[in-house]
């Protein structure tokens, strides 16, 4: 008994699982997470971590090992008679280990780290922008699927109406009220509807498969695509990620300028060198000996022919370029928004006309339906008017979907 109950529960649950639903907002979220480009953010983080570690090593002691063996054609001699000082060998050997420790470099290392941090933010924002630009592609696919779904429902309604009408016509033929062969015309139309239905199914399957690949989510013909209620906010400000990118570029320029200003700062190093060789530091001792030196080294490039200053001035020009790009971007976006708003207004006017047309079509079809029942007209006339009504209903559905698509694109363009 328990097994039977379990089987029944599974049979009930399967259709529910199969008829999953999805929203437009969920598609946006899925593509942001699952699209292959999204992985670049992790790669950029890993790359930046390595760059930061490499730059930070400048604060650590630097070790150098050197070894050399030389043969000289001549050596230093002491010109003192009977000094009993042995001359140097012409073959000489030396091995040294040096340690250099940065003490002060005017904040150059920290400035380099800030530049890397700014570059990471810029690159991550560029990835975000590329993902954001996929939203309009998702809009096109999502609303195309909605259109096929609603077209299927309308086609099914037309089929049901024709099937009911076929029963009436056959009854009328049987009692001699309607002309023979009128039922054949209806049967032909039902076959055409079957063809149209298969074509819609194929089109819908292609659209769903494309969207499924784009967002990396399992979707199928049973998936219910929720119809979003989209409103546009005409007066709100632009909120596009590109605007944030322009600001990040300016911050990156500021950090690069700061780095350049540190490059000519005074630098102080401590060093120590230990070695073994012949001769050592005592040139008069012609034997292998150990030696060492310790000290500090100060370096300051006090004049570079204004090279650093010119590089910084060049960066300031880059800032002006970014400001110009920002201005151009806003101009183009506002043009797109105006065009999209005109498209929305146009479609809304179409919908108002569609509703008037449908009211008239329904009145005509009622009259034709009555005439067919009384044998005044043929099935062909009825089919013509029914098809006209169906096509106009399909146009209304198409305009409604186009209106939602136009509003969704408007919001994407605006950054809402």
């Amino acid at each position: 008994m328990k097994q039977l109950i379990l089987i029944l529960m599974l049979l009930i649950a399967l259709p529910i699982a199969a008829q999953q639903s999805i929203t437009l907002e969920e598609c946006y979220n899925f593509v942001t997470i699952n699209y292959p480009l999204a992985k670049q953010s992790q790669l950029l983080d890993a790359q930046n971590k390595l760059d930061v570690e490499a730059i930070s090593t400048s604060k650590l002691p630097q070790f150098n090992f050197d070894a050399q063996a030389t043969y000289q054609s001549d050596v230093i001699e002491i010109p003192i008679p009977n000094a009993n000082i042995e001359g140097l060998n012409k073959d000489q050997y030396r091995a040294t280990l040096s340690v250099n420790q940065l003490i002060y470099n005017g904040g150059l290392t920290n400035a380099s780290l800030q530049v890397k941090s700014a570059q990471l933010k810029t690159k991550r924002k560029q990835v975000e922008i590329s993902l954001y630009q996929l939203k309009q592609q998702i809009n096109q696919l999502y609303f195309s699927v909605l259109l096929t779904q609603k077209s299927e429902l309308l086609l099914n309604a037309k089929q049901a109406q024709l099937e009911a009408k076929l029963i009436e016509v056959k009854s009328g033929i049987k009692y001699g009220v309607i002309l023979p062969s009128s039922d054949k015309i209806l049967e032909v139309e039902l076959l055409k509807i079957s063809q149209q239905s298969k074509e819609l199914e194929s089109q819908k399957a292609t659209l769903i498969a494309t969207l499924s690949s784009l967002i990396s989510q399992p979707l199928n013909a049973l998936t219910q695509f929720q119809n979003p209620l989209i409103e546009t906010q005409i007066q709100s400000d632009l909120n596009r990620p590109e605007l944030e990118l322009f600001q990040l570029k300016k911050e990156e320029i500021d950090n690069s300028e700061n780095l350049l200003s540190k490059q000519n700062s005074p630098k102080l190093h401590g060093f120590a060198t230990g070695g073994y060789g012949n001769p050592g530091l005592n040139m008069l001792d012609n034997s292998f000996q150990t030696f060492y030196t310790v000290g500090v080294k100060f370096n300051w490039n006090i004049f570079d022919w204004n090279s650093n200053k010119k590089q910084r001035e060049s960066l300031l020009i880059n800032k002006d370029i970014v400001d110009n790009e920002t201005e151009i971007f806003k101009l183009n976006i506002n043009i797109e928004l105006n065009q999209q708003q005109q498209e929305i207004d146009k479609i809304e006017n179409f919908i108002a006309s569609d509703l008037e047309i449908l009211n008239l079509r329904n009145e005509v079809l009622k009259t034709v339906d009555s005439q067919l029942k009384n044998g005044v007209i043929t099935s062909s006339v009825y089919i013509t008017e029914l098809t006209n009504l169906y096509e106009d209903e399909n146009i209304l559905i198409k305009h409604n979907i186009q209106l939602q698509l136009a509003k969704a694109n408007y919001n994407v363009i605006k950054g809402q």
Side-chain angles (χ1 to χ4, degrees), residues 103-115:
I103 299 174
Y104 176 78
N105 66 352
L108 181 63
T109 301
N110 290 334
S112 298
L113 293 174
Q114 290 172 357
V115 168

Side-chain angles (χ1 to χ4, degrees), residues 383-395:
I383 291 296
T384 299
E385 292 303 327
L386 179 62
T387 300
N388 288 337
L389 175 63
Y390 165 75
E391 289 178 352
D392 289 334
E393 286 177 338
N394 213 15
I395 289 173

Side-chain angles (χ1 to χ4, degrees), residues 203-218:
Q203 182 181 355
K204 178 181 174 182
T206 301
L207 291 168
I208 291 176
T210 304
L211 182 59
S212 176
S213 299
L214 192 62
I215 66 175
S216 297
Q217 287 295 303

Side-chain angles (χ1 to χ4, degrees), residues 206-258:
T206 301
L207 291 168
I208 291 176
T210 304
L211 182 59
S212 176
S213 299
L214 192 62
I215 66 175
S216 297
Q217 287 295 303
L219 305 174
N220 53 52
L222 298 177
T223 303
Q224 294 299 314
F225 289 76
Q226 302 299 318
N227 193 7
L229 297 176
I230 299 174
E231 298 297 333
T232 58
Q233 299 179 6
I234 299 176
Q235 300 302 324
S236 61
D237 295 330
L238 292 178
N239 192 29
R240 288 288 293 261
E242 289 87 346
L243 296 176
E244 298 177 30
L245 175 64
F246 293 136
Q247 186 59 39
L248 289 173
K249 282 184 176 181
K250 292 172 71 173
E251 292 177 9
E252 185 179 337
I253 292 171
D254 288 337
N255 283 286
S256 297
E257 184 184 3
N258 183 49

Side-chain angles (χ1 to χ4, degrees), residues 19-34:
Q19 294 181 359
Q20 67 186 72
S21 65
I22 193 168
T23 65
L24 179 62
E25 194 64 32
E26 286 174 342
C27 289
Y28 290 159
N29 294 334
F30 283 135
V31 78
T32 302
I33 298 171
N34 299 328

